[in-house]
Amino acid sequence: MAEPRRPRAHRPTVAIVGAGAAGSLVALHLTRTAARRSTGVDIVLIDPADHRARGVAFGTTDDQHLLNVPASGMTALPEDPGHFVAWRHREDPDAHTDPYDFAPRRQWSRYLDETLEEALRGALGEVGVRHVRKQVVGVRRTDTGVALRTADGAEVTADAAVVAPGLPAAGHSWAPPSLAASAFFVPDPWAPGALDVVRRDRAGLADVLLVGAGLTMVDVAFSLTDDRNRADRVVHAISRTGRLPRPHAPRPLLAAIPDISDWGSTLDEVRVEVERHVAEVAATAGDWRPAIDGLRFRVQELWSRFSDEDKLRFLAEDAGRWNIHRHRMAPSSTTRIAGLREDGRLQVAAARVVDAEPLPAGGLRVALSDGTSREVGWVVNCTGPQTDLRLLGNPVIDDLLRERGGASLATADVGGLGVRTREGRLLASDGEADAPLWTLGALRRGELWETTAVPEIRVQAAAIARDVLDAVAPLPRRLADGRLVGGHHPVARPRDPLGLPLSTTTEAAAAYNAGLERVMRLQDGAEALLRRATELDPGFALGHAALAMLGHEAGADADVKASLEAARKAVRQRGDERERSLVDVVGLRVKDVRRTGAEALMNHIAAHPRDVLAVSAAVPTIAFSGVTDVQQEAWDLVEGLAPAYGDHWWYISLLAFTRQDQGRFEEAGLLAESALSCEPSSGHAVHAQTHVLYETGQHEPGRVWLDHWVAESGRGASHRAHFSWHAALHELAIGDTEAVRRRYYSQLAPPDVCGVRALIDSASLLWRWRVTTTDWDGAVADALPGAPAVFSGETAPPPVEPVLAAVDAALLTRPQTPFVALHAAIGLAAAGETARLDALARQCRRSSDAILRGTVATVCDALGAAAEAQWGRAAQLIEDVLPTLVRVGGSAAQREVVEETLLLCLVNDGRAADAARILNARLDRRPSPLDLRRQVSLQPVRHPEAAASLPGVPS
């Protein structure tokens, strides 16, 4: 009997067909998104399973069956990558938990179920979830949504439905009839109790044949060779190639994401580029895995370029090789498999099943394609899911593909791998996507290929949650004339990437959005696209305002005065409250960036937190100086935006940078990886990861990873010089100053780098290089006669004068922010410009800004004293100012140049023990060959053997 139809005024119902991992993730993100929007919704999970969050992948009860992704990659919440790791720790506080653990699969299903339950409690009654334990056998459209027919003849009506069947059932079309009909054949090892009968068999033949050598085989081999089984059992695994899944690395490695813009669109072209990419990464990083992991971020785009013929060729010729490298074994599983093979309990061969005949005492004699045969008690199908959904016999999928009224609700994609969709919404056979039906995961394999792992499914689930709620319970919308109307109103303005309305034409909005996305990714070319938007619509106030803001705040090529005037004129004629507010903010920022402009910007963000352009200008990053020099206030600003952005990759990138600034490096790294998995070109995420690598002493991996990113995905980065500076810091920390020299001349020297970037990156690098290496040995020799020269043969850094010549004089004489003023002082000190340094100190003391008057002016005095060899005074001034140096802004890595200066001053002043204490504290915090060399040079008597063993130290 059909459920009674409810009036439209009641809160909408969303049905989810399937309560496994995919369906439960959709329910979780629907719950969270609805709660953020204060939107009421009822969710109905329809699945005959006893428990939600299980299904084929996670329904196992065997703790030997491990995830093939580390715990850090298995969070259900992209914005909280440590969520699963933290849950595991709460579950068992006494157990050692690590982000790189490979947890039991059934543990993850319990985690997902509890996370959904927690989200429901947090929704405070706005969301309801119920589990209907029935099988759906049919789907039909209704006037108000969809009706789902269950196996008992009942119907569940809903405003929208998500089809989330999970992985298809195992396919065994390869099995000859003589095998398929045998009672000793296990066609689906994941069927409840399927392996129990094999374990209990103590009388028949002990050996078991496993057909397939992938991850399913690994799990089944463990289940059939443990203590619950006969000790005389040998497991025989066969596949077409006999290749086993490759192992995960023993420690986490950063993905090397390639730039695929010029890789072509045919399978043959992509094969060549993939081979090159893997070879290059393996040569530089010493491991092939970062290359494959980086490709994972690009696979869906590459797959979309292929013709149907190339996709089918890939399935036939390349899929097996890809799968064994992409879907890897946990390190512990690799060790166990090796042990089974060494003990002779697991034998692997390349062969196919040709025939099978029953044996008199039970079991089978199986003939193989290599001419051999195996006498076994059982044959278990481990070949994995059926690839063609048209052969599954799944009643829901069959009904979706069935033609009715001249069209079917869904159409099969290439080779029956999945169904066609428009961003997850089912495409009918007539090409329309207007039915309120969505899908995700395995049913999108035909259009995405890589779509069955949790990292991909959780992103799809979050996107579907937003789309479904936009369809069934859309938020109110504003028309071009300013009227607020219901969400279902047919006409409304275009929107920006975060959903905010734009008072302009569709064409101008498209150009504006493309420019804004470049700002979000820290890519070049944003101003050209924004300018194009104003050309398409001269009355587009926000386009003019954005140009003025980028010109004033980020040094973009824009006429700030003219753009601001055009914005003011346009917004008077056409613009909503947000647009008028932003135009006012830009005007105030141009007039008074640090007081009234900062206050106006923060007030604007409070009212419009999803205004990406405003938030970009407010948060201190590579591109913008931000609105505050107080570190805690910057942190509070970013963290306070969480409800507005949720799991958006741009916000996660900013949060990653905040976390590293807080010294929470593990969390920052996980957040950066999460953001990059959604947007591989996110410059903010890469910036956060570079700081994590430096602050944790991963200098060689950091240099290699950064070099790859700058050459690949970072080719269009708008601040490539800063990433090159980070790579140079790694090289300096390693002690490879010749590499620093090559990098400086190729990536950091004028005219390639000029303006404020030359001052902040290039000049500071040259000064740091000098005080940490070439000036060090002389200082130590005077303080500690007989100490080893740890930088023997070092030549001086390049001259700093060309860098200062490439900088606007106003940056050196009248810097507007403490951060720029600090670097102006360093640049002048490096050039020996003591008179100009004194003048800068006087200019700072005349400022109304307390940080310029106090902190920066004191650093100027200290650098001037050092230039005159007044080492004691210089050291004292720096020691006095270090506790408050954080107020000037920037990162710890950037401010560290002042501490480097202090170390040299201390040694020159005869305070080698104090310098050694600072270096010891650093080395306790992070490894650094450079710091170790300097530390040893300060303790020659106690550590002569250590000094003699260091690179560059004469023995």
Side-chain angles (χ1 to χ4, degrees):
M1 179 179 293
E3 292 185 349
R5 182 174 296 169
R6 295 176 304 172
R8 189 73 190 182
H10 287 217
R11 66 188 193 181
T13 296
V14 178
I16 302 172
V17 182
S24 297
L25 280 166
V26 172
L28 170 64
H29 285 283
L30 275 170
T31 301
R32 286 163 49 83
T33 306
R36 282 198 296 265
R37 297 183 178 191
S38 296
T39 298
V41 64
D42 288 317
I43 301 170
V44 184
L45 286 161
I46 314 174
D47 191 315
D50 289 339
H51 300 279
R52 63 193 182 194
R54 292 188 180 176
V56 174
F58 302 102
T60 177
T61 59
D62 193 335
D63 281 340
Q64 299 176 99
H65 300 165
L66 304 181
L67 299 169
N68 68 316
V69 175
S72 59
M74 291 296 291
T75 178
L77 312 177
E79 76 275 21
D80 188 356
H83 194 255
F84 178 47
V85 177
W87 179 89
R88 295 186 72 223
H89 179 70
R90 288 197 305 273
E91 283 292 293
D92 190 353
D94 296 328
H96 172 74
T97 55
D98 186 90
Y100 201 62
D101 286 343
F102 292 79
R105 294 213 301 273
R106 73 168 181 169
Q107 188 182 69
W108 190 83
S109 69
R110 191 155 49 87
Y111 153 76
L112 177 57
D113 186 45
E114 291 184 13
T115 302
L116 173 55
E117 198 61 42
E118 183 182 357
L120 287 169
R121 289 194 297 270
L124 302 176
E126 291 277 9
V127 181
V129 171
R130 63 191 178 98
H131 184 177
V132 175
R133 290 175 174 82
K134 298 179 181 180
Q135 182 182 18
V136 176
V137 297
V139 183
R140 66 180 179 86
R141 289 188 70 173
T142 67
D143 292 341
T144 59
V146 294
L148 304 167
R149 188 175 76 259
T150 57
D152 61 356
E155 277 193 339
V156 177
T157 59
D159 297 271
V162 180
V163 182
L167 287 170
H172 58 276
S173 58
W174 54 266
S178 55
L179 176 60
S182 172
F184 297 99
F185 177 52
V186 180
D188 183 359
W190 303 127
L195 297 178
D196 290 347
V197 65
V198 183
R199 290 195 192 98
R200 289 195 300 265
D201 184 0
R202 304 288 174 176
L205 293 172
D207 289 5
V208 177
L209 177 66
L210 308 184
V211 182
L215 292 173
T216 298
M217 181 280 292
V218 172
D219 286 340
V220 173
F222 292 161
S223 292
L224 297 182
T225 57
D226 64 11
D227 293 340
R228 295 170 293 176
N229 293 272
R230 298 167 56 168
D232 59 341
R233 170 165 292 150
V234 175
V235 173
H236 305 264
I238 63 168
S239 71
R240 287 182 302 167
T241 63
R243 295 181 299 196
L244 297 180
R246 298 298 188 259
H248 276 282
R251 66 185 191 286
L253 300 172
L254 287 173
I257 306 172
D259 180 348
I260 61 171
S261 57
D262 57 358
W263 277 25
S265 59
T266 69
L267 178 59
D268 291 334
E269 290 172 325
V270 169
R271 277 174 178 162
V272 171
E273 295 296 341
V274 167
E275 295 289 350
R276 177 194 58 77
H277 167 69
V278 173
E280 287 181 357
V281 172
T284 55
D287 199 303
W288 54 267
R289 294 174 186 85
I292 298 297
D293 293 341
L295 277 171
R296 173 180 176 176
F297 299 135
R298 301 296 198 189
V299 158
Q300 292 181 358
E301 183 180 347
L302 289 171
W303 183 257
S304 69
R305 297 179 187 178
F306 290 165
S307 65
D308 285 355
E309 291 75 15
D310 273 351
K311 289 177 181 178
L312 292 173
R313 281 181 60 210
F314 175 87
L315 291 174
E317 302 170 12
D318 302 274
R321 185 181 177 201
W322 167 257
N323 285 333
I324 65 171
H325 287 87
R326 161 69 181 86
H327 301 284
R328 303 195 283 270
M329 284 189 282
S332 61
S333 297
T334 304
T335 302
R336 283 191 64 186
I337 287 292
L340 288 173
R341 298 186 75 177
E342 185 176 339
D343 294 342
R345 300 201 64 197
L346 170 64
Q347 298 179 6
V348 183
R352 292 177 293 104
V353 173
V354 175
D355 197 5
E357 60 177 299
L359 293 171
L364 296 163
R365 178 181 291 110
V366 183
L368 303 180
S369 59
D370 61 2
T372 66
S373 64
R374 302 285 192 279
E375 291 191 357
V376 295
W378 300 87
V379 177
V380 182
N381 175 28
C382 299
T383 56
Q386 167 63 256
T387 58
D388 191 338
L389 60 84
R390 295 167 297 189
L391 305 178
L392 286 173
N394 183 301
V396 180
I397 296 173
D398 290 347
D399 197 53
L400 288 170
L401 295 175
R402 177 175 61 84
E403 186 174 308
R404 64 194 90 183
S408 59
L409 289 172
T411 53
D413 211 328
V414 57
L417 279 176
V419 294
R420 299 185 188 276
T421 79
R422 184 172 297 157
E423 299 297 328
R425 192 163 184 170
L426 291 186
L427 271 175
S429 58
D430 59 7
E432 296 295 328
D434 55 353
L437 289 165
W438 284 259
T439 193
L440 76 165
L443 287 188
R444 296 188 66 188
R445 287 184 74 211
E447 61 184 13
L448 300 177
W449 177 243
E450 280 291 331
T451 179
T452 58
V454 167
E456 285 84 20
I457 293 175
R458 69 174 178 233
V459 172
Q460 294 175 34
I464 282 178
R466 293 189 292 268
D467 290 348
V468 169
L469 289 176
D470 284 344
V472 302
L475 296 174
R477 306 173 76 183
R478 193 177 295 277
L479 302 182
D481 62 7
R483 285 183 296 136
L484 195 66
V485 297
H488 288 285
H489 194 283
V491 179
R493 291 180 291 167
R495 293 178 179 265
D496 75 3
L498 272 296
L500 298 180
L502 301 171
S503 298
T504 187
T505 64
T506 301
E507 294 77 13
Y512 175 85
N513 287 343
L516 188 57
E517 286 170 349
R518 285 184 174 270
V519 172
M520 294 165 70
R521 291 192 296 261
L522 293 183
Q523 288 182 320
D524 283 330
E527 54 265 42
L529 288 163
L530 296 173
R531 191 172 292 111
R532 176 62 178 158
T534 61
E535 292 167 354
L536 290 167
D537 178 10
F540 183 18
L542 211 56
H544 292 296
L547 276 173
M549 178 173 277
L550 289 183
H552 178 259
E553 309 263 354
D557 181 16
D559 186 330
V560 174
K561 183 178 179 181
S563 293
L564 181 56
E565 190 56 40
R568 286 169 168 160
K569 179 180 178 182
V571 84
R572 287 194 293 267
Q573 299 173 354
R574 189 210 313 159
D576 65 13
E577 188 277 330
R578 174 183 76 97
E579 292 165 323
R580 289 191 295 273
S581 173
L582 188 67
V583 171
D584 289 344
V585 165
V586 175
L588 288 169
R589 293 285 285 175
V590 170
K591 183 179 179 181
D592 179 16
V593 70
R594 291 184 58 76
R595 285 178 292 276
T596 58
E599 182 181 356
L601 182 56
M602 293 301 290
N603 289 338
H604 176 87
I605 291 171
H608 309 284
R610 287 174 71 84
D611 192 327
V612 164
L613 193 63
V615 174
S616 293
V619 177
T621 61
I622 305 173
F624 297 93
S625 60
V627 295
T628 177
D629 298 319
V630 180
Q631 196 175 51
Q632 185 64 52
E633 290 181 9
W635 298 346
D636 291 344
L637 170 60
V638 174
E639 296 193 12
L641 293 168
Y645 288 91
D647 57 7
H648 195 281
W649 66 263
W650 179 75
Y651 174 71
I652 295 175
S653 301
L654 293 185
L655 190 59
F657 192 80
T658 297
R659 290 287 180 261
Q660 69 77 29
D661 217 23
Q662 295 167 334
R664 296 159 66 175
F665 300 120
E666 184 177 279
E667 188 177 350
L670 294 175
L671 282 164
E673 289 181 43
S674 180
L676 289 169
S677 71
C678 299
E679 176 47 71
S681 297
S682 173
H684 291 302
V686 172
H687 191 208
Q689 189 68 273
T690 61
H691 279 276
V692 169
L693 293 166
Y694 181 73
E695 298 297 346
T696 56
Q698 300 178 65
H699 299 302
E700 182 58 26
R703 180 193 64 77
V704 170
W705 183 75
L706 261 180
D707 270 344
H708 175 87
W709 188 82
V710 169
E712 295 281 344
S713 296
R715 283 193 287 184
S718 54
H719 299 280
R720 291 183 73 196
H722 188 65
F723 293 111
S724 296
W725 173 84
H726 272 286
L729 282 198
H730 283 303
E731 289 163 342
L732 192 57
I734 293 168
D736 189 353
T737 54
E738 285 313 301
V740 180
R741 191 182 306 275
R742 290 192 297 271
R743 187 177 302 278
Y744 172 79
Y745 279 118
S746 63
Q747 299 174 7
L748 286 162
D752 293 333
V753 181
C754 56
V756 70
R757 279 266 71 95
L759 186 63
I760 293 172
D761 296 326
S762 307
S764 69
L765 174 66
L766 295 178
W767 175 252
R768 186 188 298 233
W769 181 353
R770 173 179 156 186
V771 300
T772 58
T773 59
T774 54
D775 287 0
W776 185 262
D777 282 345
V780 172
D782 291 340
L784 299 169
V790 295
F791 297 108
S792 177
E794 287 283 352
T795 53
V800 75
E801 286 77 12
V803 176
L804 299 186
V807 173
D808 188 334
L811 290 175
L812 298 171
T813 57
R814 296 184 304 280
Q816 296 299 303
T817 67
F819 184 66
V820 173
L822 173 71
H823 284 83
I826 290 168
L828 293 172
E833 296 269 10
T834 54
R836 295 175 71 185
L837 189 58
D838 289 343
L840 176 61
R842 291 193 298 273
Q843 173 70 20
C844 289
R845 287 197 169 86
R846 289 194 295 268
S847 173
S848 59
D849 188 300
I851 301 168
L852 282 167
R853 287 199 313 272
T855 303
V856 178
T858 302
V859 173
C860 290
D861 293 342
L863 292 170
E868 295 173 357
Q870 299 176 30
W871 302 111
R873 179 170 180 266
Q876 186 61 61
L877 288 169
I878 296 177
E879 286 176 313
D880 290 343
V881 85
L882 270 181
T884 61
L885 192 64
V886 68
R887 296 176 185 170
V888 305
S891 66
Q894 289 170 313
R895 297 189 298 271
E896 194 176 61
V897 68
V898 178
E899 188 176 77
E900 300 287 21
T901 307
L902 171 62
L903 286 168
L904 186 70
C905 292
L906 289 172
V907 175
N908 273 307
D909 191 42
R911 296 170 59 190
D914 291 334
R917 275 193 291 274
I918 294 174
L919 288 170
N920 289 340
R922 277 201 200 172
L923 288 166
D924 287 342
R925 189 175 79 244
R926 68 166 186 241
S928 167
L930 177 75
D931 286 347
L932 181 60
R933 289 168 74 174
R934 291 188 292 171
Q935 184 236 30
V936 168
S937 74
L938 298 178
Q939 302 171 9
V941 177
R942 280 178 285 172
H943 301 287
E945 70 288 345
S949 66
L950 288 168
V953 179
S955 56

